[in-house]
Amino acid sequence: MKTKDFSLSRREFLTTAMAAGGAVLLEPAWIHAAADAADPRLAQVLSRTIGIDMHNHVYPAGTEPHPQNGPPPQQEPQPRAALSLAEEIKRSGLTAVCASFVLDFAPNGKPGDARDRYLGWLNAIDAELEKGHMRRALNLKDLQAAHDRGRPTIVQTVEGAQFIEGHLERVEEVYKRGVRNLQLLHERDDMVSPLGDVITSPAHLGGLTAFGAEVVKECNRLGIVVDLAHASPETVLGALKVATQPFLVSHTGLDSRTGSNPRMAQIMKPHLISKEHAKVVADAGGVIGVWTKLAGSPKEFVENIKAMVDVVGIDHVGIGTDTDLLSSRAEQGTNQVWPGLTRGFFPPVVGEMLGQGFTPGDIGKVGGGNFCRIFGKVTAGHA
């Protein structure tokens, strides 16, 4: 099947590249604090990179969803440490995270439950942003300004759009609440009107449903980035038939990269994608976020990034950790995802990328520039 070309024109590309990756006049103090003096390139790369985590679970205290299979693990601290969203993003060395909430971890007993839970979480995020004197990024200009001024921000999203429940107008409802990124699917179907088959369950919907296609079109109309993480290959192909804008697969990895922990490999392998799946996304101009799952160190994480780049090219890879920025649990919190992290998440990753031969320009793309290209294109012309 011939896929659509969502590439930018030369003028559009140059304009976006200048906004996303050009030299930054202001270098916030936190960049220098995070940098490693042993490699003078590190501070320079950080200063020029709008660092983006394309998929991060952000749960203010009291909003943590419970896993499907019972109560939270016993190792979860009770009560959980109250971490600051603004301070944790600064500590991470990133400019922004795509702040997500899983809607199907807690069962939705009746229509309306998912919508109520999502709106309640957005209220909690509103309060967290106010506390940290933060704003949501609604377009590429907002991301650039956040980076230049050293003021962290978020891109509002959700993991699984079960809140829609057959009501297309709810997409615009959350758009007005600042949502600019929407992941259609997670693990459970919308109980009223499913949107498409997921990658971790047997197909039963024929890929993207007719209503799922309407949601994709509505996102494209409004200026919301569509995220097809967790979508089956058939669902991705269905989205390509109707989409007028490029999309993301915000967090996954290659099914050929299963790490050194057999138990985790068995758990996570259903979430991984094939090289063929990855190439379809890239051929359509999309970006794939490499997650930190199945990587026990920054070295292994960068090796997984490099493997994805080898398959789809440097212009189609980003970072999507699938961590929880506000978690104090080891290996779950973004800034505690690997043992021994003392400088937050992003500086060690950038340092490792430099060590493995990535150029500063390559790091700018993977670290956030590729996301910015899509975010800028999709949100252009919208408030």
Side-chain angles (χ1 to χ4, degrees), residues 98 132 146 168 173 198 215 242 255 260 276 294 323 340 362 372 374 382:
C98 293
L168 191 63
E173 178 184 28
V198 300
V215 172
V242 300
D255 60 11
S260 57
E276 292 71 25
L294 304 176
T323 58
D362 291 342
C372 287
I374 286 184
H382 299 275

Side-chain angles (χ1 to χ4, degrees), residues 112-156:
D113 284 355
R115 175 177 177 268
D116 289 346
R117 290 180 59 238
Y118 189 41
L119 294 180
W121 179 73
L122 288 175
N123 290 338
I125 292 293
D126 287 343
E128 191 71 23
L129 293 175
E130 183 176 2
K131 183 171 65 176
H133 306 287
M134 298 172 61
R135 295 177 55 194
R136 294 176 175 89
L138 304 181
N139 50 47
L140 182 57
K141 182 179 178 181
D142 289 344
L143 287 176
Q144 183 70 58
H147 180 75
D148 290 355
R149 297 168 186 169
R151 296 177 181 172
T153 187
I154 65 169
V155 176
Q156 195 72 72

Side-chain angles (χ1 to χ4, degrees), residues 141-338:
K141 182 179 178 181
D142 289 344
L143 287 176
Q144 183 70 58
H147 180 75
D148 290 355
R149 297 168 186 169
R151 296 177 181 172
T153 187
I154 65 169
V155 176
Q156 195 72 72
T157 185
V158 66
E159 184 163 26
Q162 288 88 357
F163 71 92
I164 298 176
E165 298 176 326
H167 297 274
L168 191 63
E169 69 274 9
R170 291 183 183 175
V171 179
E172 187 164 6
E173 178 184 28
V174 299
Y175 175 85
K176 292 177 179 178
R177 293 292 304 269
V179 172
R180 292 298 182 272
N181 187 340
L182 191 141
Q183 183 180 324
L184 295 185
L185 306 168
H186 187 230
E187 294 182 1
R188 295 184 179 185
D189 292 338
D190 183 318
M191 68 187 303
V192 175
S193 187
L195 303 181
D197 286 314
V198 300
I199 199 169
T200 51
S201 299
H204 64 289
L205 297 169
L208 190 74
T209 65
F211 185 65
E214 291 303 309
V215 172
V216 171
K217 292 176 184 177
E218 183 69 352
C219 287
N220 289 168
R221 182 186 74 84
L222 291 168
I224 298 175
V225 176
V226 173
D227 182 356
L228 293 176
H230 287 266
S232 71
E234 294 76 19
T235 300
V236 171
L237 291 174
L240 281 174
K241 292 179 181 178
V242 300
T244 58
Q245 296 284 5
F247 57 86
L248 305 176
V249 172
S250 64
H251 60 290
T252 187
L254 291 172
D255 60 11
S256 58
R257 305 284 303 180
T258 56
S260 57
N261 184 325
R263 177 178 174 275
M264 286 301 296
Q266 183 178 12
I267 294 171
M268 293 299 167
K269 190 160 186 176
H271 299 270
L272 304 176
I273 62 174
S274 67
K275 292 180 180 179
E276 292 71 25
H277 187 145
K279 288 175 181 177
V280 167
V281 175
D283 287 347
V287 174
I288 301 166
V290 178
W291 63 2
T292 56
K293 311 292 186 187
L294 304 176
S297 66
K299 179 178 182 294
E300 292 181 13
F301 179 55
V302 172
E303 288 171 349
N304 288 346
I305 290 174
K306 198 167 189 176
M308 187 69 77
V309 169
D310 287 344
V311 172
V312 300
I314 196 69
D315 294 320
H316 303 287
V317 180
I319 291 171
T321 67
D322 198 19
T323 58
D324 178 355
L325 191 74
L326 298 183
S327 177
S328 55
R329 287 175 57 197
E331 300 183 8
Q332 296 295 322
T334 309
N335 292 316
Q336 297 88 31
V337 68
W338 299 298

